[in-house]
C-alpha cells in the first residue's frame, strides 16, 4: 500500500513538473514570437511564467531531495564507523524534518497574511503563488520520510533511470 502511494506520488510530482515547465515554455516562446513578429507582447506572460517558476522550484525540491540532488557534504559520514555514520544521518533526517515542519507552518502563516493581495497583470491572489512554499516544504517532508530508512541505514538515496542525483547536485 505504501509502495503504491509512493510510486503514485512520485509520478504525479513528475508529471505536474513536466506540465508546468511545458506551459511555461509555450507561454514564453509565444510571447517572444509575438514581440518580434507583431511588435506586441502578451501583457501577463512574464508574470505568469515567474509564478510558474516559483511553483516548479518548490514542487521539484522534494524530488531533488529524494534522488540526492541537493548539495551535500558526505565525506564525514563516509569516514567514520557504520554506527557513527547512521547516528549522523539520523541527526540530519531529524534536523531536516524539524526544518520542513517549521517552514510549512511559517509559510502557511505567510500565505494567510497575503490572502487579500493580488498580482498586477492577472489579478491572481498573491496567496495562491505563495502557497507553493507550504506545499513544497510538505512535499519535501513526505519525500524525506519515504527515503529516511534507507538513507539512515545505508546512506543511499533513491535510484532512478531518468534522474541522476549526483549529476544534478554537482551542477
Amino acid at each position: 500500500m505504501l509502495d503504491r502511494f509512493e510510486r503514485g506520488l512520485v509520478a504525479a510530482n513528475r508529471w505536474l513538473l513536466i506540465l508546468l515547465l511545458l506551459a511555461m515554455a509555450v507561454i514564453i516562446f509565444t510571447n517572444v514570437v509575438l514581440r518580434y513578429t507583431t511588435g506586441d507582447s502578451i501583457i501577463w506572460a512574464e508574470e505568469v511564467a515567474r509564478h510558474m517558476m516559483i511553483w516548479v522550484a518548490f514542487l521539484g525540491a522534494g524530488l531533488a531531495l529524494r534522488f540526492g540532488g541537493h548539495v551535500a557534504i558526505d565525506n564525514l559520514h563516509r569516514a567514520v564507523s557504520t554506527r557513527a555514520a547512521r547516528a549522523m544521518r539520523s541527526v540530519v533526517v531529524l534536523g531536516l524534518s524539524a526544518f520542513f515542519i517549521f517552514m510549512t507552518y511559517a509559510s502557511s502563516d505567510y500565505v494567510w497574511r497575503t490572502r487579500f493581495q493580488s498580482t498586477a497583470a492577472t489579478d491572481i491572489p498573491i496567496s495562491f503563488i505563495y502557497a507553493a512554499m507550504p506545499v513544497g516544504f510538505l512535499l519535501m517532508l513526505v519525500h524525506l520520510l519515504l527515503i529516511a530508512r534507507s538513507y539512515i541505514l545505508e546512506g543511499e538515496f533513491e535510484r532512478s533511470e531518468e534522474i541522476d542525483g549526483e549529476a544534478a547536485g554537482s551542477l
Side-chain angles (χ1 to χ4, degrees):
M1 178 73 168
L2 185 63
D3 191 44
R4 202 162 116 189
F5 166 76
E6 189 173 359
R7 280 195 315 268
L9 175 70
V10 170
N13 202 170
R14 283 182 179 176
W15 277 106
L16 187 55
L17 288 170
I18 289 168
L19 292 174
L20 280 171
L21 284 168
L22 179 64
M24 197 169 64
V26 167
I27 290 168
I28 295 300
F29 179 77
T30 304
N31 195 38
V32 169
V33 168
L34 285 174
R35 186 179 309 131
Y36 285 106
T37 58
T38 66
D40 290 327
S41 61
I42 304 170
I43 295 170
W44 50 265
E46 185 270 333
E47 183 177 283
V48 169
R50 184 175 354 113
H51 299 155
M52 289 174 130
M53 181 59 80
I54 292 167
W55 273 93
V56 164
F58 279 100
L59 292 177
L63 283 179
L65 174 74
R66 171 182 205 81
F67 295 108
H70 287 286
V71 176
I73 301 170
D74 59 0
N75 294 345
L76 183 58
H77 80 89
R78 295 187 191 277
V80 297
S81 69
T82 303
R83 188 174 179 165
R86 287 180 179 165
M88 279 191 274
R89 290 191 294 262
S90 297
V91 169
V92 167
V93 168
L94 288 173
L96 284 174
S97 297
F99 177 73
F100 295 154
I101 291 168
F102 171 76
M103 288 305 296
T104 301
Y105 171 76
S107 58
S108 296
D109 183 52
Y110 194 69
V111 169
W112 178 253
R113 291 172 190 260
T114 60
R115 67 189 183 278
F116 298 118
Q117 299 174 14
S118 60
T119 60
T122 57
D123 205 32
I124 295 171
I126 294 277
S127 58
F128 176 75
I129 293 120
Y130 289 159
M133 292 184 298
V135 170
F137 283 115
L138 189 61
L139 267 175
M140 282 191 274
L141 178 65
V142 170
H143 282 294
L144 176 67
L145 294 177
L146 288 171
I147 67 160
R149 181 183 168 122
S150 65
Y151 174 70
I152 290 170
L153 295 178
E154 299 150 23
E156 295 293 324
F157 293 97
E158 286 290 313
R159 298 276 180 221
S160 173
E161 305 250 338
E162 299 94 19
I163 299 172
D164 183 3
E166 286 190 29
S170 65
L171 293 177

